[in-house]
C-alpha cells in the first residue's frame, strides 16, 4: 500500500487462531491558514463522515504546510500525501474546463448550489477530458462572489486603471486584464504581507478572505459586483493508488459521503465563511462599495465575450461547450431549489 495510506493491523488471539481488523489512515495535505473554513469545517466533517461510513476502518489525518497551493496536485500524484484540495487558477495552462463556474453571471446564487451543479457538470462533461490526470476527483467546489479589496476608495471602474492587484489565475486573470489592472500573481496567504508592505494596492478574492486572510485589516474598501466579478473553481482529489488500495466496501462507503455530498459541503462552507468575512470587515469599520448601474453595465460589456471564449476552449478539449454551459446553469437552478445541508450535519467550531 501507498506509504501514506498506512495499514495498521490490530490482532488478537482467540482459541489459537489469529483474528485481526485493519485500519487505514488517509493523510490530507491542506493549505491556507488553520482557521480557514476548509480546515475548520470541510476536513473535520468529511473525516467524521468517512469514519462513520466505514465503521472506523478508514480515518483521516490533516497535515498543514506540506507544500504551497500550486504544488498540491503534484504532491498527491507523487504519493507524498493522499488527499488535498486544489484551486485551479493557481495552475495556469492546465485547466480550462474548470473556468466554467468562474464566469461572471451578474446573478446571486449560493456557493452550495453552484458546487452541486458543478459536480454534476463535471461528471457529465469534464471527467473524461483528462485535466485531472494523475489524481482521482472526489469533489469539486465553487467559492462565493469574487470582490475587489482596495486600499483606497473608487467611484468608477476607470479608477482601477493601473492599480497593482493580487490575482490568482483562472477567469480572475481575464477580468483583471479587462479592468486594466496590473495583476500580481500571489497565493492568498501571501496577500496580507504584500498589502502591508505596499507591494499591492488591492486584491481580488472572495469575501471570506476578509477574515480568513485578515485582508479587512489592510485593505479597508471592498468593491462589489452583482453576482461577483468572478467565482473560483476548486477540486478535492485523492491519489489513485491510495484509492485502488482500499477494499471495495470502503471505497463504496467513501463514495457515499464524497462526490456530490462533499461538493455540497464545500459550497456550504463557502457560504458560511463569506458571511463571517463580511461581519469581520464591518467590525473593522470597512467600507463596501456598490458601483452605480452604468458601471455595472460597463463591466457586463467587458465580460460579454468570456462565455464564448470558454466554449471555444472547451471544444478544443473535446467537450461540447455549448451543452456543458447550458447544463451547468440548468443544474444550478435545480440545486437552488433542493434542500441544502443544515448546521447540525457539519462540524463548525464557530457555529
Amino acid at each position: 500500500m501507498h506509504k501514506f495510506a498506512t495499514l495498521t493491523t490490530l490482532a488478537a488471539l482467540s482459541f489459537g487462531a489469529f483474528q485481526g481488523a485493519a485500519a487505514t489512515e488517509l493523510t490530507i495535505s491542506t493549505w491556507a491558514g488553520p482557521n480557514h473554513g476548509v480546515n475548520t469545517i470541510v476536513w473535520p466533517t468529511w473525516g467524521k463522515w468517512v469514519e462513520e461510513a466505514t465503521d472506523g476502518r478508514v480515518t483521516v489525518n490533516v497535515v498543514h504546510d506540506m507544500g504551497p497551493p500550486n504544488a498540491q496536485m503534484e504532491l498527491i500524484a507523487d504519493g507524498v500525501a493522499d488527499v488535498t484540495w486544489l484551486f485551479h487558477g493557481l495552475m495556469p495552462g492546465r485547466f480550462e474546463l474548470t473556468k466554467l463556474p468562474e464566469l461572471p453571471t451578474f446573478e446571486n446564487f449560493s456557493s452550495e448550489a453552484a458546487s452541486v451543479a458543478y459536480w454534476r457538470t463535471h461528471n457529465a462533461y469534464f471527467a473524461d477530458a483528462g485535466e485531472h490526470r494523475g489524481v482521482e476527483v472526489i469533489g469539486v467546489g465553487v467559492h462565493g462572489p469574487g470582490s475587489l479589496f482596495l486600499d483606497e476608495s473608487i467611484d468608477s471602474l476607470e479608477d482601477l486603471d493601473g492599480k497593482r492587484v493580487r490575482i490568482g489565475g483562472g477567469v480572475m486573470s481575464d477580468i483583471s486584464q479587462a479592468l486594466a489592472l496590473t495583476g500580481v500573481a500571489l497565493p492568498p496567504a501571501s496577500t496580507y504581507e504584500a498589502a502591508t508592505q505596499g507591494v499591492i494596492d488591492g486584491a481580488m478574492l472572495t469575501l471570506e478572505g476578509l477574515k480568513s486572510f485578515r485582508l479587512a485589516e489592510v485593505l479597508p474598501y471592498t468593491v462589489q459586483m452583482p453576482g461577483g466579478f468572478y467565482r473560483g473553481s476548486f477540486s478535492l482529489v485523492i491519489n489513485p493508488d491510495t484509492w485502488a488500495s482500499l477494499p471495495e466496501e470502503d471505497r463504496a462507503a467513501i463514495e457515499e459521503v464524497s462526490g456530490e455530498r462533499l461538493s455540497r459541503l464545500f459550497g456550504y462552507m463557502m457560504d458560511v465563511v463569506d458571511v463571517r468575512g463580511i461581519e469581520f470587515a464591518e467590525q473593522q469599520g470597512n467600507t463596501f462599495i456598490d458601483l452605480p448601474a452604468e458601471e455595472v453595465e460597463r463591466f457586463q460589456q467587458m465580460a460579454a465575450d468570456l462565455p464564448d471564449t470558454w466554449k471555444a476552449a472547451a471544444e478544443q478539449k473535446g467537450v461540447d461547450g455549448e451543452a456543458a454551459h447550458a447544463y451547468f446553469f440548468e443544474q444550478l437552478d435545480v440545486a437552488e431549489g433542493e434542500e441544502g445541508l443544515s448546521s447540525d450535519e457539519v462540524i463548525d467550531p464557530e457555529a
Side-chain angles (χ1 to χ4, degrees):
M1 178 177 286
H2 184 272
K3 64 180 179 180
F4 278 97
T6 309
L7 186 64
T8 306
T9 303
L10 307 175
L13 291 177
S14 176
F15 303 108
F18 177 86
Q19 298 177 339
T24 300
E25 182 181 86
L26 301 177
T27 296
I28 296 176
S29 170
T30 195
W31 48 279
N35 294 323
H36 192 283
V38 168
N39 299 319
T40 61
I41 298 174
V42 173
W43 293 135
T45 300
W46 185 68
K48 178 174 180 286
W49 289 352
V50 166
E51 187 168 356
E52 290 176 347
T54 62
D55 294 324
R57 293 185 300 275
V58 181
T59 61
V60 306
N61 177 36
V62 180
V63 181
H64 293 258
D65 301 323
M66 295 185 73
N70 61 353
Q72 293 298 312
M73 188 165 182
E74 184 178 352
L75 287 175
I76 301 307
D78 289 348
V80 179
D82 296 310
V83 178
T84 194
W85 60 300
L86 310 173
F87 177 62
H88 299 117
L90 295 176
M91 293 168 280
R94 174 152 192 172
F95 293 100
E96 289 293 334
L97 300 175
T98 59
K99 292 180 181 180
L100 171 58
E102 299 186 344
L103 297 171
T105 63
F106 304 95
E107 296 180 7
N108 293 314
F109 48 83
S110 71
S111 296
E112 183 174 350
S115 297
V116 170
Y118 187 20
W119 173 255
R120 294 171 185 173
T121 307
H122 169 81
N123 278 346
Y125 290 94
F126 303 159
D128 296 331
E131 287 194 333
H132 285 88
R133 59 192 176 276
V135 296
E136 294 285 339
V137 179
I138 57 174
V140 296
V142 181
H143 75 43
S147 299
L148 263 170
F149 308 146
L150 298 171
D151 59 359
E152 296 179 344
S153 183
I154 65 167
D155 297 314
S156 72
L157 296 176
E158 287 183 355
D159 297 335
L160 296 172
D161 192 354
K163 282 191 177 291
R164 299 162 299 166
V165 171
R166 175 269 171 189
I167 60 171
V171 168
M172 199 187 315
S173 297
D174 301 323
I175 297 301
S176 71
Q177 292 176 20
L179 294 172
L181 298 170
T182 299
V184 181
L186 288 171
S190 300
T191 306
Y192 178 92
E193 182 179 3
T196 301
Q197 296 177 351
V199 175
I200 57 174
D201 305 309
M204 297 185 90
L205 271 168
T206 184
L207 293 164
E208 57 89 11
L210 290 166
K211 181 178 181 181
S212 63
F213 298 111
R214 298 169 52 207
L215 296 184
E217 299 175 9
V218 291
L219 299 171
Y221 297 92
T222 297
V223 184
Q224 301 185 103
M225 183 63 60
F229 283 95
Y230 65 96
R231 293 267 179 157
S233 166
F234 299 81
S235 60
L236 303 98
V237 300
I238 190 168
N239 176 276
D241 293 335
T242 299
W243 186 242
S245 72
L246 296 171
E248 184 176 348
E249 178 185 14
D250 290 339
R251 286 200 304 272
I254 294 172
E255 284 177 341
E256 287 293 320
V257 297
S258 302
E260 184 169 312
R261 186 163 174 78
L262 177 55
S263 302
R264 185 180 289 279
L265 172 64
F266 190 96
Y268 169 93
M269 175 275 297
M270 281 294 182
D271 289 329
V272 168
V273 296
D274 271 358
V275 171
R276 291 172 183 170
I278 293 170
E279 292 173 347
F280 180 76
E282 290 174 342
Q283 292 168 7
Q284 302 294 312
N286 286 22
T287 300
F288 288 81
I289 301 170
D290 292 313
L291 294 171
E294 58 269 22
E295 293 298 297
V296 173
E297 182 178 353
R298 186 173 168 203
F299 180 66
Q300 285 178 314
Q301 294 171 355
M302 292 179 180
D305 293 337
L306 290 178
D308 286 341
T309 299
W310 178 84
K311 291 172 189 176
E315 298 291 342
Q316 292 292 319
K317 296 267 188 174
V319 171
D320 186 337
E322 189 73 41
H325 185 273
Y327 183 79
F328 172 73
F329 287 99
E330 288 170 4
Q331 291 304 310
L332 181 56
D333 287 340
V334 171
E336 281 279 70
E338 295 172 349
E339 184 177 356
L341 286 176
S342 63
S343 58
D344 59 3
E345 296 178 82
V346 305
I347 294 173
D348 182 358
E350 293 190 47

